[in-house]
Amino acid sequence: MAAVTVVGGGVVGLTSALLLARAGHEVRCVRDVPSPGTVSAVAGGLWFPYHVEPRDRVVGWGLTSLRHFTSLAADPGTGVALREGLLVERGGPDRWWTEGLTGWRDATPDELPEGAPSGVVARVPLVAMVVYLDWLERACVAAGVELVDGRVEVLDDQPGDLVVLAAGLRAPALLPGLEVSPSRGQVALLANPGLDRWLVDDGAPGGMTYVLPHRGWVVCGGSDAAGDRDEPDPQEHEQIVERCRRAVPALRDAEVLGARVGLRPVAPAVDLRVHDLGGRPVVTNVGHGGAGVTLSWGCAEEVTGLVGDLVRG
């Protein structure tokens, strides 16, 4: 077994730390801020491989996470629920993400918004991120992970036999050569008037529209554009609220609770591999775009396997 430092405290870093600890490694997880302050806390939490490559590997990672989340949904304390919803296909069927997914079907014409030729109705995990991240931190502590608040400036300074780098947008500054850039996502939070069905309509007139209902609130979106401005834009906020109310009339009188912005760590492909840094291995787990939640367990399992291989030599 090895002494491992995980750098990064979002959903990707915490899940990696948890599985490494469960595999018997001595794990410390260093993060700039506790999980409520990470981009993971802004995520809508729908299991769907959005804005991420490469597809062939994403399918496998996603199915592994699907298995874990489905199991966690049996415990309300995790914040995970299995909910049915509609993915609208404005440009015709594009169903690579359904490989290995059971229980999905074609949307019927009466389920589709005006002008949409097709869609998929599926029952998948929907994760209330504030609740889930709290559960995940507590699971890490119970497994023996040492959670450390602090900003890492140099990977060489971190103790341990090896480092797992899961620092999202900060990863290129810590390990030159990595390609990760910000994509700005803004959401509106509305009170939940009783919705339990999700909607994703990426090509909706007026812009990307998604409605993700959790117990007590609804995450409404959204946006996806290059940029690193992390403050909500008031005009964009009003447009998101109006689009989502138009798409889901039950939201028309729902109280607006606020607006949030998250910067997605987008890359040409998820970078999950072993690097050599001055003779010490660094395992990268970065570049998950808009699919950090969806791929978290699958990528963490692969990280744990790579660390095991390194330990065995």
Side-chain angles (χ1 to χ4, degrees), residues 120 166 172 227:
V120 170

Side-chain angles (χ1 to χ4, degrees), residues 40 54 56 66 108 114 116 130 133-135 160 168-169 207 209 212 228 254 268 281 284 292 310:
S40 298
D56 56 340
L66 178 64
T108 59
E114 183 178 355
V130 174
L133 289 169
D134 178 68
W135 173 86
L169 289 171
T209 301
L212 307 176
D228 60 3
T284 50
L310 290 167

Side-chain angles (χ1 to χ4, degrees), residues 184-188 221-225 229 231-243 259-261:
R184 186 178 183 278
Q186 180 163 322
V187 300
S223 63
D224 185 9
R229 182 169 175 262
E231 291 295 322
D233 179 275
Q235 182 177 2
E236 189 172 21
H237 173 68
E238 292 180 5
Q239 292 169 349
I240 289 171
V241 171
E242 178 54 34
R243 287 201 305 270
R260 303 191 72 183
V261 171

